[in-house]
């Protein structure tokens, strides 16, 4: 588990968030265009979680941000913050009236320890364990974290070879949330 406030770059103050992974950047922002600098980005978290968060940020959050910037006519003097939040991710971005920068932070919510709550499965998978997602033919998945939703505990998992529909709907390297009844133990 990491603390998103440890990021070197990104939007401040940050929405307080304990997370599995976090990404932050300070990009050049001129005429509605965003240019990323390699030395003004940072990412924290375990490799699989970081890779998944970065894929979501580039494939989902940034296209939504760019649409919003065009729709709202953001300039270098804009102070407004754009937020995109899902069950697993949170993305925030703003020029902060900086006259040329765009600050952004994204987090993969979740925990690396099994939380308190109700679990509908007959076994508790470990982080790093491969399980079978018995729902929607998702197949074998690597567990990278846990989450809670309405008091129920689920696992955050990365499909090894996701079906085409899953990739089309969620993008490359996407994670899925699975409740206990949706997973099966794989016997070695």
């Amino acid at each position: 588990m990491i603390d998103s406030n440890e990021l070197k770059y990104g939007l401040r103050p940050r929405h307080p968030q304990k997370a599995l992974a976090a990404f932050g950047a300070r990009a050049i922002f001129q005429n509605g265009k965003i240019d990323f600098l390699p030395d003004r980005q940072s990412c924290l978290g375990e490799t699989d979680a970081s890779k998944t968060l970065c894929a979501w940020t580039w494939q989902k959050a940034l296209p939504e941000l760019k649409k919003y910037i065009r729709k709202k006519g953001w300039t270098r003097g804009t102070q407004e913050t754009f937020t995109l939040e899902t069950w697993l991710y949170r993305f925030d971005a703003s020029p902060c009236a900086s006259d040329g920068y765009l600050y952004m932070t994204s987090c993969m919510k979740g925990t690396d320890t099994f939380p308190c709550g109700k679990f509908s499965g007959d076994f508790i998978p470990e982080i790093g364990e491969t399980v079978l997602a018995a729902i929607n033919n998702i197949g074998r998945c690597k567990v990278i974290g846990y989450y809670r939703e309405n008091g129920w505990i689920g696992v955050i998992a990365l499909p090894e070879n996701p079906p085409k529909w899953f990739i089309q709907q969620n993008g490359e390297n996407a994670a899925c949330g699975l409740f206990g009844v949706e997973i099966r133990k794989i016997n070695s």
Side-chain angles (χ1 to χ4, degrees):
M1 185 85 109
I2 58 103
D3 182 347
S4 62
N5 287 310
E6 294 174 9
L7 280 173
K8 191 172 180 180
Y9 301 101
L11 184 62
R12 297 182 196 281
R14 294 195 177 89
H15 176 15
Q17 191 80 259
K18 293 289 186 182
L20 290 171
F23 168 81
R26 183 180 73 198
I28 302 295
F29 182 61
Q30 294 181 357
N31 303 319
K33 186 178 176 196
I34 304 167
D35 290 314
F36 285 88
L37 303 169
D39 64 341
R40 297 295 184 263
Q41 302 174 46
S42 60
C43 197
L44 300 172
E46 184 270 328
T47 304
D48 287 328
S50 294
K51 183 177 171 182
T52 301
L53 172 64
C54 287
W56 179 83
T57 300
W58 292 100
Q59 296 169 8
K60 300 287 185 179
L62 285 173
E64 290 299 317
L65 172 62
K66 288 175 183 178
K67 282 191 251 180
Y68 191 83
I69 288 171
R70 283 190 300 275
K71 179 181 175 185
K72 296 291 188 170
W74 275 16
T75 67
R76 295 161 32 145
T78 298
Q79 291 184 348
E80 180 183 8
T81 298
F82 168 81
T83 299
L84 178 64
E85 189 163 14
T86 70
W87 71 276
L88 184 56
Y89 304 104
R90 181 181 173 105
F91 175 83
D92 297 290
S94 176
C96 298
S98 64
D99 200 32
Y101 290 118
L102 182 66
Y103 302 91
M104 59 195 78
T105 303
S106 59
C107 293
M108 175 187 273
K109 299 181 256 180
T111 179
D112 57 5
T113 56
F114 196 78
C116 294
K118 301 176 277 188
F119 187 66
S120 60
D122 55 5
F123 75 102
I124 297 172
E126 300 286 329
I127 300 289
E129 184 175 348
T130 299
V131 296
L132 179 67
I135 187 167
N136 297 329
N137 295 321
I138 294 174
R140 295 169 60 98
C141 298
K142 180 180 179 183
V143 175
I144 63 170
Y146 307 103
Y147 70 100
R148 281 183 36 152
E149 185 175 312
N150 296 323
W152 288 93
I153 300 166
V155 298
I156 301 166
L158 286 176
E160 287 181 3
N161 188 18
K164 286 181 184 178
W165 70 262
F166 185 89
I167 295 169
Q168 289 172 339
Q169 181 177 327
N170 302 294
E172 296 280 337
N173 300 312
C176 58
L178 302 165
F179 289 110
V181 297
E182 298 171 328
I183 61 174
R184 305 288 179 267
K185 193 163 193 63
I186 295 177
N187 297 325
S188 302

